[in-house]
Amino acid sequence: MDVLINVFVALHIIGIASLLGGFLTQMKAMGEGAARFTPAMLHGALTMLVTGVALVGLNQADDQTVNNIKIGVKLAVLIVILGLVYVKRDEEKVDKPMFAAVGALTTANIFIATLWT
């Protein structure tokens, strides 16, 4: 079970790397007002959702304790990210505050995951 959990953790990290990487590569474009949500950002957020749900289930099946409040907060933040990226995915330009919000929420989700014990 540990190997399976670690595989899903790795996939979860790949998802967040895709989402955050898509944001970071467009920082200059955001400053110019030309940033857009890339397919990699949407797929990264979806990967995070699927693997996160799987991780919760696998950890509970393995009789490990799961902090449901932390998971709920992370899920809520991710749903907001997904909503923003999904709705604006086909637009050529995304407003700077909305694009910045996705980056800030993604970073917040990383800090919630690592610092909330």
Side-chain angles (χ1 to χ4, degrees):
M1 185 72 95
D2 288 339
V3 172
L4 188 59
I5 290 172
N6 288 332
V7 166
F8 276 95
V9 167
L11 291 172
H12 196 69
I13 292 170
I14 290 169
I16 201 151
S18 178
L19 177 60
L20 189 61
F23 172 78
L24 292 174
T25 58
Q26 294 195 60
M27 291 289 290
K28 184 176 181 181
M30 183 180 71
E32 298 167 354
R36 66 183 305 261
F37 293 130
T38 64
M41 294 174 75
L42 177 62
H43 296 147
L46 288 170
T47 299
M48 288 175 56
L49 178 63
V50 171
T51 58
V53 169
L55 281 167
V56 170
L58 288 170
N59 280 313
Q60 287 180 339
D62 199 28
D63 289 330
Q64 296 181 23
T65 58
V66 176
N67 186 340
N68 290 319
I69 296 172
K70 174 182 173 180
I71 298 303
V73 169
K74 285 182 55 56
L75 179 62
V77 170
L78 182 57
I79 287 174
V80 170
I81 292 168
L82 261 170
L84 292 172
V85 173
Y86 185 78
V87 168
K88 299 290 187 174
R89 72 188 183 282
D90 292 331
E91 295 188 11
E92 288 298 319
K93 295 179 183 177
V94 178
D95 294 335
K96 186 177 180 178
M98 184 177 292
F99 196 79
V102 169
L105 288 170
T106 301
T107 304
N109 225 359
I110 293 169
F111 281 109
I112 291 168
T114 56
L115 298 178
W116 188 337
T117 55

